[in-house]
Amino acid sequence: MPKVQFITVTRAESGQKLLRFLERRLLGDVPRSAVQRWIRKGQVRVDKGRKKPFDRIEAGQVVRIPPYTPGEEKPAQSGGGLTLVHQDADILAIAKPAGLAVHGGDGIDDSVAGRLAALYPDADFRPTLAHRLDRHTSGLLLAAANYESLRHLNHAFASGGVDKLYLAWVRGQWTGPDRTLLTDRLEKRGEPGSQTVRTGSGKTGLAEVTALVADREYSLVAVRLITGRTHQIRVQLASRGHPVVGDRKYGEGRERGPMRLHCHALRVDGTLLTLAPPWEGRWAVEPETLGRAMELLDGRDTLRGTPKPGM
């Protein structure tokens, strides 16, 4: 028979809202409505006292969970591992490959989030992604190793406190100034799952672009992303006649092969992480070219990412 559980809040979980803590800790699929009912009726206690669903809990507090029968637990994804570029007590930096979705959903059985959960099945606080990349974009993706770090990263991304540098191969010869500021109004259109973004109205998107290699057929550009709108880089470049190579959504149907858009560098709280793109052949980027791309970020830090294979 199910029994009452008493769980001590760990340091990694500290600061969460009670409802979210319970959802992370409960085994199997337990409906949120059931958890809210437990809290409302006083079946959930924190240090023997009643709490509301959105009250925050702290390390060392003891949470009483009433007896319950776990629902069916979703099996851990086994689509593959992940390569870590950097890991410390607060942050994991993941080398996301092109083609792998960040989160699961309808028709998506393999994702970065699912692989993370499979890698850390017994963690008090499973590493949680702090931002997104488009499915066909490769590069750096940050996850928080504890709840305090997750709150900090979420705020940093939302407030523009993260420096973001991307590399992209685009069609045509980029002839703009050495540093071109792209300013557009961007708006989502269409039904969920098939949405596109168009310029002309909506929220402002800002990005700074410089050409690293400018040929007649293709150009390699570095993009410092100032805002973080959906599909922003892809839309802003395509609207100027330079769609990202391999972008089938905004490339007017001419594109084939993988998309050549890569998150190369992220800087958070003075920590700089970099990841060279995995491109080969005609799309390979020389080290000195990567150095020129970094000039778009003001100043330089010494910490660089070194991939750890086999995760």
Side-chain angles (χ1 to χ4, degrees):
M1 293 291 292
K3 297 181 179 180
V4 171
Q5 298 179 58
F6 294 91
I7 298 178
T8 301
V9 180
T10 67
R11 185 175 180 181
E13 300 168 301
S14 184
Q16 290 186 93
K17 294 174 182 177
L18 176 59
L19 179 60
R20 190 70 183 103
F21 167 82
L22 292 170
E23 289 177 328
R24 289 179 182 273
R25 276 289 199 154
L26 295 174
L27 300 175
D29 185 15
V30 181
R32 170 173 280 206
S33 58
V35 180
Q36 290 175 317
R37 184 169 61 252
W38 295 348
I39 299 173
R40 186 175 65 252
K41 291 184 176 181
Q43 293 174 292
V44 171
R45 298 284 178 130
V46 179
D47 288 344
K48 299 182 180 181
R50 299 181 69 143
K51 290 284 186 180
K52 296 179 180 179
F54 300 110
D55 287 343
R56 296 192 182 276
I57 55 176
E58 304 298 333
Q61 290 184 314
V62 177
V63 179
R64 176 195 186 274
I65 299 177
Y68 72 97
T69 301
E72 182 180 356
E73 190 167 5
K74 296 179 180 179
Q77 294 183 8
S78 57
L82 294 170
T83 297
L84 298 185
V85 173
H86 171 81
Q87 183 175 15
D88 59 33
D90 297 314
I91 295 176
L92 289 76
I94 300 158
K96 176 193 168 307
L100 179 63
V102 172
H103 294 286
D106 293 340
I108 300 177
D109 297 325
D110 190 16
S111 67
V112 176
R115 293 187 185 189
L116 266 180
L119 286 172
Y120 299 91
D122 300 320
D124 297 331
F125 182 92
R126 292 181 181 177
T128 303
L129 296 170
H131 64 122
R132 303 174 65 99
L133 291 177
D134 291 344
R135 181 171 186 170
H136 296 291
T137 300
S138 61
L140 288 169
L141 191 62
L142 300 187
N146 54 68
Y147 183 68
E148 182 179 357
S149 177
L150 179 61
R151 291 184 69 185
H152 178 74
L153 286 173
N154 284 341
H155 175 73
F157 276 103
S159 63
V162 180
D163 293 327
K164 297 164 281 189
L165 184 70
Y166 288 71
L167 299 173
W169 278 103
V170 300
R171 283 191 171 273
Q173 186 174 26
W174 185 271
T175 58
D178 184 46
R179 291 193 177 192
T180 304
L181 180 64
L182 308 185
T183 303
D184 294 286
R185 306 278 286 185
L186 303 171
E187 183 180 36
K188 295 180 183 178
R189 299 178 184 177
E191 298 297 324
S194 59
Q195 286 181 333
T196 58
V197 177
R198 293 290 182 263
T199 61
S201 60
K203 297 181 179 179
T204 300
L206 298 172
E208 188 179 22
V209 180
T210 190
L212 303 173
V213 177
D215 203 346
R216 291 185 179 181
E217 188 175 4
Y218 300 104
S219 297
L220 175 66
V221 297
V223 183
R224 183 171 72 91
L225 193 59
I226 302 172
T227 56
R229 311 301 181 200
T230 300
H231 299 172
Q232 181 182 329
I233 294 175
R234 299 162 61 186
V235 173
Q236 289 192 292
L237 293 175
S239 69
R240 288 163 173 79
H242 298 285
V244 175
V245 172
D247 188 347
R248 300 182 186 182
K249 183 181 287 286
Y250 300 103
E252 300 178 356
R254 299 177 298 169
E255 302 303 327
R256 296 293 183 271
M259 190 166 71
R260 305 296 175 175
L261 178 61
H262 178 81
C263 181
H264 172 57
L266 295 171
R267 181 165 53 199
V268 186
D269 298 332
T271 296
L272 177 66
L273 299 167
T274 64
L275 176 66
W279 304 328
E280 298 177 342
R282 71 175 302 173
W283 311 112
V285 182
E286 298 297 328
E288 57 268 26
T289 303
L290 295 177
R292 288 172 49 213
M294 294 302 297
E295 295 175 5
L296 270 182
L297 296 183
D298 297 329
R300 290 191 172 198
D301 297 296
T302 57
L303 179 61
R304 295 297 183 90
T306 302
K308 300 178 182 178
M311 292 296 294

